Amino acid sequence: MKNYKEALDHKIFNVISLAAEELDVDSYVIGGFVRDHLLQRGDPKDIDVVAVGSGIELAKKVSEILPHKPIVQVFKNYGTAMLRAFDMEIEFVGARKESYREDSRNPIVENGTLEDDQNRRDFTINALALSLNKNNFGELLDPFNGLEDLKSQIIRTPLDPDVTYSDDPLRMLRAIRFAAQLGFRIEKESLKAIRENKDRIKIISRERIVDELNKILLSEKPSVGFALLHKTKLLKLILPELTALEGIDEIEGQRHKDNFWHTLEVVDNISENTDDLWLRWAALLHDIGKAPTKKFHKKIGWTFHGHEFVGAKMVFKLFKRLRMPLNEKMKFVQKMVLMSSRPIAIVDDNTTDSAVRRLVFDAGDNIEDLMTLCEADITTKNPKRYNQYHNNFKIVRQKIKEVEERDHVRNFQPPVSGEEIMETFDLKPCREVGIIKDAIKEAILEGEIPNEYDAAHDYMLKRGKKLGLQPVKQ
Ligand code: ATP
Ligand code: MG
């Protein structure tokens, strides 16, 4: 039997081992920690421990031994307990045997052996356990050849995949998520079983689904996960707005691009430049308005008029349906979708300063993110065009910088306030105040006057005069 003592050289493992010995139970580290150690994948954030006995008692004993006596959080319903030590979350569970019902992913649970517990794990690579017992400390317990699967980079279920996925359909998303995160392949029978059980996804809470989607989106190359979701037909059940983008229509010899596969490319592109989950969501959703707005016109071919506006509205509905946050994150995604065509629209031979100023004014602090999205949106396979588009955006970025340094229009508040307009002309709040205020803003954005107090004040007086107003104060 292989020994992996070196995986357990952190003192927490000695403490757990000692605590288990005092309680006279066997204990093992299992799951993600073992897998990630063998894959040499970064620092572990959480450790899962199985006790052949009570996990809760073991957690309490471990806390007693640790000098800082961490709080033990007990989840009685699940028979698990968690404590924090050395910047890690350590989760304890009693070894168990599970059986499932049709309508719930929560099993009926009985006490069991280590093998029973390994049987209930989702994948062979997640069923690997290292002994914390004195007599075989560090020994790998691997009843399903998980080590082999790790080496050949395969996601496989320990038991019949059809049963495994049907019992707990969340595992379908986990399989795809691990394939995306680790760059592994899902074994054939598993893939088939996922496809066959796809409709079972309806018993999974939307929050759990979104958790997995977020992890897929945060992986290095998210298209891997989304292509699998698509292949297994899960995507249509989870994000039908995306699958609606698939396909190429042809009328009178005119074709449009396949906006589904294009979108996946955009997400991969943006992921090379940002780890921001919400900007990645924006890339995923930036074209969803194209399905409902698609039209063919005899003269101009395919159009998607107003797809940005429609798309932004769809973002709200989609977030709501999936119980995602309806806060400033959602607003950010909406704004990115709404503005996604703006930078391209101002690109031409002589991109004017006023167009750039308006763009910066409307995008505010999100201007960088918007440019990153637009650059990721370039998926043409024609190298000449590819370079030309990137170059255009480089010019826009340069112009943004210049305009910013000179005019400070990002988050700009007009230098003359509504109150000042009212005082100057002795007005109560009324239409004229709004007209003058807007005129000042427009004049600044158009570059007619600089973004400065004196110029704005003069402009206010001029504009007031036009409206027949007399200043009572200069
Ligand atoms: P990560 O923490 O990187 O997402 P992980 O494998 O540690 O990966 P967790 O969700 O922390 O995943 O779960 C810990 C372990 O619990 C897994 O390794 C697996 O053995 C088991 N597990 C988790 N969820 C399931 C499930 N739905 N079905 C069966 N076993 C599961
Ligand atoms: Mg984990």
Side-chain angles (χ1 to χ4, degrees):
M1 265 295 165
K2 288 214 171 65
N3 192 294
Y4 292 88
K5 250 193 214 103
E6 84 285 350
L8 308 177
D9 67 358
H10 196 290
K11 59 175 163 260
I12 187 65
F13 296 111
N14 293 325
V15 173
I16 301 170
S17 180
L18 191 69
E21 204 185 338
E22 280 187 25
L23 294 174
D24 199 23
V25 299
D26 284 348
S27 66
Y28 303 85
V29 189
I30 194 161
F33 174 88
V34 183
R35 179 196 69 222
D36 289 345
H37 173 79
L38 294 171
L39 289 172
Q40 300 176 319
R41 249 181 120 238
D43 279 335
K45 296 170 302 308
D46 46 271
I47 300 176
D48 293 287
V49 175
V50 180
V52 186
S54 164
I56 296 171
E57 289 311 310
L58 180 57
K60 287 181 179 162
K61 184 58 99 186
V62 168
S63 171
E64 262 174 54
I65 298 174
L66 286 169
H68 70 295
K69 314 272 179 270
I71 298 166
V72 178
Q73 270 188 58
V74 175
F75 307 94
K76 248 203 169 133
N77 291 348
Y78 294 98
T80 64
M82 194 272 282
L83 60 81
R84 277 173 232 276
F86 309 104
D87 275 340
M88 293 183 289
E89 281 189 3
I90 307 164
E91 178 107 32
F92 296 82
V93 60
R96 57 167 70 168
K97 211 175 170 164
E98 294 182 339
S99 47
Y100 286 82
R101 294 155 294 180
E102 175 72 19
D103 58 341
S104 163
R105 62 174 290 261
N106 299 320
I108 301 162
V109 171
E110 305 162 61
N111 293 339
T113 62
L114 174 69
E115 292 78 57
D116 290 329
D117 200 278
Q118 285 173 304
N119 273 324
R120 75 174 177 90
R121 302 273 157 180
D122 47 6
F123 308 114
T124 59
I125 59 167
N126 284 347
L128 295 161
L130 292 178
S131 166
L132 294 173
N133 309 318
K134 222 177 181 175
N135 59 342
N136 61 350
F137 193 84
E139 188 174 306
L140 180 71
L141 294 114
D142 178 16
F144 311 110
N145 270 326
L147 196 57
E148 272 306 305
D149 287 344
L150 264 190
K151 282 187 189 139
S152 18
Q153 310 197 311
I154 289 178
I155 312 269
R156 187 199 311 275
T157 57
L159 306 178
D160 179 351
D162 197 46
V163 177
T164 304
Y165 293 117
S166 169
D167 278 351
D168 175 2
L170 180 67
R171 293 167 181 160
M172 304 193 284
L173 294 183
R174 284 174 58 89
I176 291 172
R177 184 255 291 190
F178 282 120
Q181 278 181 330
L182 305 174
F184 280 25
R185 185 162 60 76
I186 300 176
E187 172 261 343
K188 220 169 105 209
E189 290 302 311
S190 240
L191 209 53
K192 187 164 154 244
I194 294 176
R195 218 179 277 134
E196 280 163 9
N197 284 287
K198 66 175 194 320
D199 294 314
R200 297 272 297 149
I201 197 72
K202 64 174 182 285
I203 70 165
I204 303 299
S205 79
R206 283 162 274 191
E207 288 83 352
R208 300 302 293 257
I209 292 176
V210 170
D211 261 359
E212 296 300 329
L213 283 180
N214 286 344
K215 286 180 182 169
I216 291 172
L217 259 181
L218 286 173
S219 66
E220 208 174 299
K221 201 171 170 218
S223 67
V224 172
F226 284 100
L228 282 167
L229 287 172
H230 175 258
K231 188 171 174 177
T232 53
K233 306 234 178 340
L234 278 164
L235 194 59
K236 190 162 185 200
L237 301 174
I238 301 172
L239 293 171
E241 296 87 347
L242 272 188
T243 47
L245 295 175
E246 195 190 3
I248 300 174
D249 286 327
E250 181 167 342
I251 298 183
E252 296 173 8
Q254 304 235 43
R255 295 153 63 89
H256 62 78
K257 66 176 172 241
D258 184 313
N259 284 301
F260 172 69
W261 294 103
H262 160 72
T263 291
L264 295 196
E265 271 187 69
V266 177
V267 176
D268 281 351
N269 285 347
I270 211 162
S271 301
E272 286 180 19
N273 294 310
T274 181
D275 289 329
D276 184 291
L277 175 64
W278 303 104
L279 188 50
R280 290 184 179 201
W281 266 106
L284 187 70
L285 304 181
H286 80 285
D287 270 349
I288 50 173
K290 281 191 172 173
T293 56
K294 181 162 79 176
K295 282 210 172 68
F296 182 79
H297 306 262
K298 269 198 171 337
K299 284 197 184 122
I300 45 176
W302 293 100
T303 64
F304 305 91
H305 278 312
H307 79 83
E308 303 86 351
F309 184 71
V310 172
K313 284 190 151 184
M314 290 167 75
V315 167
F316 171 76
K317 286 198 192 134
L318 186 153
F319 269 52
K320 192 156 180 238
R321 183 185 75 235
L322 291 176
R323 307 234 169 104
M324 290 169 70
L326 299 176
N327 57 12
E328 73 286 353
K329 303 297 184 202
M330 192 261 316
K331 291 206 181 110
F332 166 76
V333 176
Q334 281 191 305
K335 188 169 173 186
M336 289 294 105
V337 173
L338 186 63
M339 295 194 70
S340 57
S341 310
R342 287 280 301 276
I344 191 92
I346 67 165
V347 168
D348 58 30
D349 294 342
N350 52 351
T351 302
T352 63
D353 280 6
S354 71
V356 174
R357 230 179 274 118
R358 278 180 189 284
L359 178 68
V360 175
F361 175 74
D362 290 339
D365 280 337
N366 305 127
I367 185 70
E368 272 298 312
D369 286 340
L370 182 62
M371 292 307 295
T372 305
L373 174 59
C374 289
E375 282 159 350
D377 203 3
I378 302 172
T379 59
T380 170
K381 299 292 167 294
N382 175 329
K384 212 173 133 199
R385 271 195 224 147
Y386 180 90
N387 285 331
Q388 188 198 333
Y389 294 164
H390 271 282
N391 217 19
N392 286 344
F393 283 135
K394 250 193 219 140
I395 296 169
V396 174
R397 275 189 189 267
Q398 180 57 33
K399 287 238 172 188
I400 290 173
K401 220 174 129 203
E402 285 165 22
V403 163
E404 281 251 89
E405 278 166 10
R406 205 176 50 226
D407 304 336
H408 310 285
V409 285
R410 187 186 295 213
N411 303 325
F412 118 94
Q413 295 293 331
V416 174
S417 69
E419 279 83 57
E420 187 164 358
I421 299 169
M422 289 192 277
E423 269 176 37
T424 308
F425 297 107
D426 191 24
L427 295 170
K428 298 251 165 344
C430 62
R431 211 169 62 94
E432 280 74 12
V433 181
I435 293 175
I436 297 173
K437 211 175 150 188
D438 268 356
I440 297 171
K441 186 188 97 184
E442 285 297 312
I444 293 171
L445 291 176
E446 277 306 310
E448 267 177 62
I449 60 168
N451 184 14
E452 288 161 7
Y453 178 79
D454 285 348
H457 191 261
D458 280 355
Y459 194 84
M460 165 187 73
L461 294 176
K462 260 200 267 168
R463 194 69 185 78
K465 211 166 162 190
K466 257 198 193 162
L467 290 169
L469 298 170
Q470 284 298 326
V472 292
K473 186 178 147 204
Q474 285 287 330

